[in-house]
Amino acid sequence: MQVQRVVLNSRPGKNGAPVPENFRLEEITLAPDLKDGEVLVRTLYLSVDPYMRCRMNEDTGADYLTPWQISKCVDGGGVGLIDSSRCNNFAAGDVVISFNWPWQTHAVMTGSDLQKVDPQLVDGHLSYFLGAVGITGLTALLGIREKGHITKRANHTMVVSGAAGACGSIAGQIGRLDGCVRVVGICGSDEKCKAIVEDLGFSTAINYHLEDVPTRLKESCPDGIDVYFDNVGGAISDAVIAQMNNGSHIILCGQISQYNKDVPYPPPLSEETQKNLQSKNITRERFTVLNYMSKADAALCELSQWIKSGRIKVLETVVNGIENMGDAFCSMMKGGNIGKQIIKISH
Ligand code: NDP
């Protein structure tokens, strides 16, 4: 059987933005005879995610992430269908997900790398398993619950950076549902600002490319900031932290503004921001969703119910075709997506 796959063509270097030419499309012949324990899967949707930028480096800088190898098939989050199975846990037609799905139109995978999922959880929107009812939804929900300390009726103000992205768009809505009286989003275009306010119910949105972030934060957070869901780091986070209240909390989700630089994670803070954290007793503990997977099933049910009842809205940017994986990844890293960036591989 002829299949298409994407391999790593070159590395962008630790200090450099990724480009589509870092990836290469190939056609290979897949021998579909399965060994015991193996399944043949058809890929439906693939995910591109910011952590993949580390996997493009020879050394990822994180012990739980392996580097992608040159000329080898790239992998990440994926959802698909079992075509045929020699594994007792799976039968043809099952919908399955994996964190290590090869960027390949069909693939032979080991059953132990796959998890069967119930399409009813997402009302048939199978791509949601890669976003709102998958890792990014879990990151938003568990990040807030573990590190946010939101108290109902405490009139908390929450700020979310990267607010129109996969994690940010869900985090802001959860902040509102969990009782924040005000949720302010910071993101990179007027279209994104309009979407998060009009479609997702954020109180205010700030376009950091066009507006003065400190001034707009002062206007939109008159009582200061109690919870900050930080997806981006850098100058935006310095501006937010400067307006946080005593005893407030940062959910240190990600620092994407620093991912094309050769710095450790989390990147070092400026002296002034460090002083702000200490003098105002602001918590800023590292959060990694993979450390909370024992809570994933319950959290996924909660997300599913909120989405089915319409209390959480899901935004996605979907592109078609495995040949566009590299473009989609680079576009997401530069802000081309509203909501979760998804690549549809087959029907
Ligand atoms: P998004 O869907 O948010 O896509 C990335 C977004 O980042 C872009 O759309 C862009 O939006 C924004 N961005 C890119 N460069 C910059 C910059 N220099 N300054 C400000 N914003 C920038 O991705 P995810 O939701 O998947 O991930 C968001 C964050 O969450 C990342 O930092 C990621 O590493 C982290 N994460 C952490 C996890 C954990 O366990 N802690 C798990 C999953 C994700 P814009 O147009 O607004 O610039």
Side-chain angles (χ1 to χ4, degrees):
M1 150 191 251
Q2 291 301 108
V3 302
Q4 290 180 304
R5 69 173 188 181
V6 176
V7 300
L8 188 66
N9 191 42
S10 56
R11 300 187 191 279
K14 281 194 162 186
N15 285 298
V19 291
E21 294 71 34
N22 293 136
F23 300 92
R24 187 176 77 234
L25 186 70
E26 286 184 343
E27 198 160 295
I28 56 156
T29 307
L30 189 71
D33 10 304
L34 302 174
K35 297 197 198 81
D36 278 345
E38 288 183 340
V39 295
L40 175 69
V41 292
R42 176 157 65 92
T43 310
L44 296 177
Y45 297 99
L46 291 173
S47 174
V48 286
D49 298 270
Y51 77 86
M52 293 173 168
R53 177 63 187 85
C54 317
R55 299 194 68 190
M56 298 183 86
N57 295 335
E58 243 161 305
D59 172 6
T60 64
D63 49 14
Y64 58 94
L65 290 176
T66 54
W68 287 331
Q69 299 299 335
I70 298 287
S71 293
K72 290 272 159 37
C73 189
V74 168
D75 67 299
V79 58
L81 287 175
I82 302 280
D83 257 10
S84 53
S85 169
R86 281 192 63 186
C87 178
N88 290 339
N89 300 339
F90 303 103
D94 284 351
V95 179
V96 286
I97 57 168
S98 173
F99 296 133
N100 297 107
W101 198 290
W103 289 10
Q104 201 162 298
T105 47
H106 280 84
V108 173
M109 293 179 74
T110 328
S112 55
D113 282 342
L114 292 165
Q115 194 191 332
K116 189 172 160 178
V117 286
D118 178 3
Q120 283 189 1
L121 264 186
V122 292
D123 268 346
H125 295 281
L126 300 182
S127 57
Y128 289 6
F129 285 124
L130 302 179
V133 190
I135 281 293
T136 53
L138 281 178
T139 303
L141 179 56
L142 296 174
I144 288 173
R145 295 285 167 76
E146 296 295 325
K147 306 290 183 190
H149 306 272
I150 294 173
T151 317
K152 277 211 160 93
R153 287 180 288 279
N155 293 336
H156 280 160
T157 293
M158 180 189 208
V159 171
V160 182
S161 58
C167 293
S169 61
I170 302 293
Q173 296 182 80
I174 295 172
R176 173 171 45 77
L177 290 167
D178 275 3
C180 290
V181 289
R182 201 174 284 117
V183 179
V184 175
I186 306 175
C187 52
S189 75
D190 285 345
E191 191 190 357
K192 292 184 180 191
C193 287
K194 188 166 181 276
I196 65 172
V197 172
E198 291 182 8
D199 302 338
L200 307 186
F202 280 60
S203 325
T204 314
I206 302 171
N207 177 345
Y208 71 91
H209 286 308
L210 298 181
E211 301 184 278
D212 183 65
V213 175
T215 308
R216 292 284 288 117
L217 281 173
K218 216 159 248 136
E219 288 166 6
S220 45
C221 307
D223 301 323
I225 298 160
D226 303 293
V227 186
Y228 174 37
F229 195 100
D230 186 6
N231 282 310
V232 307
I236 292 173
S237 294
D238 290 339
V240 176
I241 292 167
Q243 296 191 36
M244 290 186 75
N245 292 328
N246 283 326
S248 57
H249 303 283
I250 298 173
I251 299 149
L252 178 50
C253 177
Q255 305 275 281
I256 194 170
S257 71
Q258 310 298 305
Y259 290 176
N260 292 328
K261 296 179 191 166
D262 186 9
V263 289
Y265 187 88
L269 294 170
S270 70
E271 216 171 288
E272 195 183 336
T273 296
Q274 195 66 54
K275 247 193 242 156
N276 261 323
L277 292 181
Q278 272 155 9
S279 65
K280 292 198 252 172
N281 204 16
I282 299 169
T283 66
R284 183 177 180 269
E285 293 161 6
R286 191 166 171 175
F287 172 75
T288 308
V289 69
L290 297 179
N291 293 341
Y292 297 89
M293 292 318 270
S294 61
K295 300 185 178 181
D297 284 348
L300 289 171
C301 278
E302 195 169 355
L303 289 162
S304 160
Q305 279 160 15
W306 267 335
I307 292 165
K308 285 185 181 188
S309 66
R311 296 175 83 199
I312 284 188
K313 299 234 160 48
V314 179
L315 301 178
E316 290 184 327
T317 299
V318 183
V319 303
N320 285 304
I322 196 162
E323 67 279 12
N324 292 314
M325 290 302 298
D327 279 315
F329 172 72
C330 297
S331 163
M332 177 278 299
M333 290 299 290
K334 290 187 296 198
N337 57 310
I338 301 189
K340 177 77 188 114
Q341 179 70 60
I342 294 288
I343 300 84
K344 185 173 178 181
I345 306 300
S346 70
H347 291 292

